[in-house]
Amino acid sequence: MTYRILTLNRISPRGLARLPPERYEVGADIAEPDAILLRSADLHVTPIAPGVRAIGRAGVGVNNIPVADMSRRGVPVFNSPGANANAVKELVLAGLLLAARNIGPAWLFARDLAGDDEAIEAAVEQGKRNFVGFELPGRTLGVVGLGAVGVEVANSALALGMRVLGYDPQITVQRAWQLSASVEQARSLEDLFARADAVTVHVPLNEHTSGLVNAARLALMKKEATILNFARAAIVESAAVLAALDAGRLHAYVCDFPRRALKDHPKVITLPHLGASTGEAEENCAVMVAEQLRDFLENGNIRNSVNYPEALLPRAANTTRLAIANCNVPNMVGQISTCLAAHGINIADLLNKSRGEYAYTLIDADGALSEELLVRIRAIDGVLSARIV
């Protein structure tokens, strides 16, 4: 079988190479695709063909994808968590140093110097006192969100001699193993903001995190603290940050999201969304998401989906696999099993996983499966998609 993959952005060739040409047609002009592979293209304004079975984003955030609509269609949305973690971590550390040593305004000052070398040297000696900064060792960094990026930032800040507070009530076992034991757990967001000299946020943008950094939490911070935002713009309330900067409560705001109100403020450093902008990160993201799409299309397995559960089932020999996305309601597996029994099909292996409103079932059946059986399974109330893999 040949699978058709529509690309909506430039995807690293190293990632596309994971989709062998003898089994995959890949390009920007693919009609009736089985899957979509993208980076920043906005699928909220782009029609998604009814035959699309999966969407993969070569990156972490999926705000450009209508995830809820895809969930209702039984379409997993994949991303690549951790693939760009090192790139973002390095930029966060650079942001800490930029703010601590006032490098942005100092650079602008030096670029505007005029006259001969003697005049420049005199101006430097006179002006450098305006850019006196501070060192990082002994200061406290608060890390909100201990996913792939947050863990790397926390561990690296420790290596720089900082004390680190972490807050993430949903930290996974995998990330907990990776996190240094020297990272102290904050009791709450308010506790973290009150104790930190700098706060960096590494959480997805949703209804719970929009405006997470707000006037009330900024008021808890030490005088001359720093805020860093390399996650999503709306996680930080810009107006509240600007007010705190103007009042002298904050030392600096460093972010990856230029806005008209921010870009010219003397205590704000805005970068043009460079968090994952390295060749290595783009390659890593493309490779990860391409491999995940391939495993889903060829084996039905789900890894790193933002809307469906992790579901990995080794394939049994001499079996045919059935992959089903459905609403997470009682007796769904029973109804599916009844359909199989009515067609004289024996189940060799079965995996059923749920995540919130949705569930996913993989069944390895002895022998072949008919299209008639597939039609009956799709007709079950609550089944969103079903296919023979």
Side-chain angles (χ1 to χ4, degrees):
M1 178 177 180
T2 299
Y3 298 101
R4 301 167 63 80
I5 310 294
L6 173 65
T7 57
L8 296 182
N9 298 106
R10 180 191 173 278
I11 305 297
S12 166
R14 186 172 163 224
L16 297 180
R18 301 303 175 102
L19 303 171
E22 62 270 18
R23 298 206 67 183
Y24 288 84
E25 293 180 24
V26 182
D29 56 354
I30 296 292
E32 300 181 2
D34 296 295
I36 296 173
L37 184 54
L38 76 162
R39 291 173 62 202
S40 59
D42 189 356
L43 286 184
H44 292 281
V45 297
T46 302
I48 300 172
V52 168
R53 300 171 181 175
I55 296 172
R57 180 171 188 269
V60 180
V62 291
N63 302 91
N64 56 322
I65 300 170
V67 175
D69 290 345
M70 294 302 98
S71 299
R72 288 188 286 268
R73 283 174 51 170
V75 175
V77 176
F78 298 91
N79 66 348
S80 50
N84 60 12
N86 184 72
V88 179
K89 173 204 74 177
E90 290 184 350
L91 201 59
V92 172
L93 297 180
L96 274 171
L97 293 165
L98 284 168
R101 301 302 301 272
N102 298 307
I103 291 173
W107 190 349
L108 293 175
F109 165 79
R111 290 187 63 179
D112 288 339
L113 293 172
D116 58 21
D117 286 348
E118 185 176 343
I120 289 175
E121 186 175 348
V124 166
E125 289 303 311
Q126 179 67 26
K128 69 180 184 181
R129 70 189 66 177
N130 297 318
F131 309 109
V132 174
F134 55 84
E135 298 179 21
L136 297 180
R139 294 180 183 268
T140 300
L141 175 67
V143 181
V144 180
L146 294 169
V149 176
V151 165
E152 289 215 17
V153 169
N155 291 345
S156 296
L158 287 171
L160 291 174
M162 301 187 77
R163 295 190 293 265
V164 180
L165 290 172
Y167 181 79
D168 190 340
Q170 297 180 325
I171 186 171
T172 65
V173 173
Q174 177 189 6
R175 300 306 175 200
W177 276 106
Q178 295 169 345
L179 185 66
S180 170
S182 297
V183 175
E184 183 181 348
Q185 179 184 356
R187 296 185 298 274
S188 64
L189 282 170
E190 286 66 31
D191 176 48
L192 182 143
F193 274 81
R195 297 165 60 193
D197 297 292
V199 170
T200 180
V201 291
H202 301 286
V203 293
L205 177 61
N206 54 43
E207 65 272 19
H208 305 294
T209 61
S210 179
L212 183 149
V213 180
N214 53 37
R217 290 184 174 129
L218 291 172
L220 299 172
M221 297 193 75
K222 300 175 183 179
K223 189 174 174 62
E224 294 288 290
T226 297
I227 298 292
L228 301 108
N229 178 15
F230 290 87
R232 286 291 182 268
I235 291 169
V236 174
E237 290 185 356
S238 297
V241 166
L242 289 171
L245 290 168
D246 291 339
R249 287 200 50 79
L250 280 184
H251 169 72
Y253 177 43
V254 187
C255 71
D256 217 12
F257 313 102
R259 296 291 186 271
R260 183 171 297 279
L262 296 172
K263 67 183 185 65
D264 295 323
H265 195 285
K267 294 183 179 180
V268 175
I269 298 171
T270 58
L271 304 175
H273 208 178
L274 297 180
S277 293
T278 67
E280 295 89 343
E282 290 181 6
E283 285 188 351
N284 292 342
C285 289
V287 167
M288 179 182 284
V289 78
E291 289 180 344
Q292 290 165 180
L293 280 179
R294 181 178 178 183
D295 196 19
F296 174 75
L297 291 172
E298 295 183 15
N299 299 304
N301 289 326
I302 294 180
R303 291 178 294 154
N304 294 322
S305 168
V306 301
N307 57 340
Y308 274 88
E310 198 94 345
L312 303 172
L313 183 66
R315 297 202 75 155
N318 303 315
T319 61
T320 305
R321 176 161 290 186
L322 189 61
I324 303 165
N326 53 270
C327 296
N328 187 18
V329 295
N331 198 35
M332 184 59 68
V333 173
Q335 293 182 77
I336 296 169
S337 300
T338 299
C339 279
L340 290 167
H343 281 72
I345 301 296
N346 182 59
I347 296 175
D349 205 353
L350 182 149
L351 176 72
N352 175 258
K353 296 285 187 177
S354 63
R355 179 176 180 176
E357 299 178 62
Y358 301 99
Y360 188 72
T361 304
L362 288 173
I363 296 173
D364 283 343
D366 290 328
L369 300 176
S370 67
E371 284 297 320
E372 179 188 354
L373 171 64
L374 199 57
V375 169
R376 287 194 60 183
I377 289 175
R378 286 172 175 163
I380 296 173
D381 186 27
V383 168
L384 305 172
S385 67
R387 65 190 178 101
I388 298 170
V389 182

